[in-house]
Amino acid sequence: MDERIKELRMSVGLSQKEFGVRIGVSDTAVSKIERGERNPSEQTILSICREFNVNYAWIMEGLGEMFSDLPETLLDQVAEEYHLDELDKKIVKSYMQLTEEKRKVIKEYLHNIFINEKDD
């Protein structure tokens, strides 16, 4: 499981600290889990699955795909309703995987653009 957790973290492009913040543990705990020095609690495993939409069977036993299909289904539904193309979908999916801090920076940037447009 330690290797799968590291693989997941690397695939979402997060440092151990950023990953830990997202699942509610310290970067030291993430490091120990990835090195096999500590087993994650069931709560930590569930947090990983919920936060990153990871397939529980994959993280526990390496069965199936890394990510669950549910968000793809939801994203596909939203894409259909709002006529999103593949680039739109990729942007939305990537945005959802960002840390809260990085999303805040993007929201502030977009807010400034939209507010400035309204003022013009």
Side-chain angles (χ1 to χ4, degrees):
M1 183 184 324
D2 52 345
E3 292 174 8
R4 287 187 296 279
I5 290 174
K6 184 174 184 176
E7 180 183 348
L8 167 66
R9 180 179 63 78
M10 300 298 281
S11 77
V12 296
L14 297 176
S15 68
Q16 289 179 336
K17 183 175 185 169
E18 292 168 326
F19 188 80
V21 166
R22 297 271 299 265
I23 63 170
V25 300
S26 69
D27 55 336
T28 303
V30 173
S31 176
K32 288 182 178 184
I33 290 169
E34 289 183 355
R35 290 193 315 257
E37 296 175 7
R38 175 179 168 190
N39 289 324
S41 67
E42 182 68 13
Q43 180 179 344
T44 298
I45 293 167
L46 293 174
S47 291
I48 291 169
C49 291
R50 181 183 61 249
E51 183 67 25
F52 299 101
N53 198 45
V54 171
N55 177 350
Y56 184 82
W58 178 84
I59 202 162
M60 294 299 292
E61 300 176 31
L63 302 173
E65 298 295 321
M66 180 186 297
F67 297 104
S68 298
D69 290 335
L70 183 58
E72 289 299 324
T73 303
L74 292 174
L75 186 53
D76 287 339
Q77 289 173 356
V78 170
E80 185 175 329
E81 184 174 339
Y82 292 95
H83 308 289
L84 303 180
D85 62 20
E86 288 304 311
L87 179 58
D88 292 324
K89 287 171 49 177
K90 187 173 185 175
I91 290 168
V92 170
K93 186 174 183 178
S94 296
Y95 177 81
M96 292 185 307
Q97 293 175 337
L98 292 174
T99 63
E100 191 173 327
E101 183 177 299
K102 289 179 181 178
R103 287 193 311 261
K104 182 179 178 184
V105 170
I106 291 172
K107 285 190 289 188
E108 288 173 0
Y109 173 75
L110 293 173
H111 178 76
N112 288 335
I113 290 173
F114 295 133
I115 295 300
N116 288 339
E117 281 185 8
K118 288 181 180 180
D119 291 343
D120 289 342

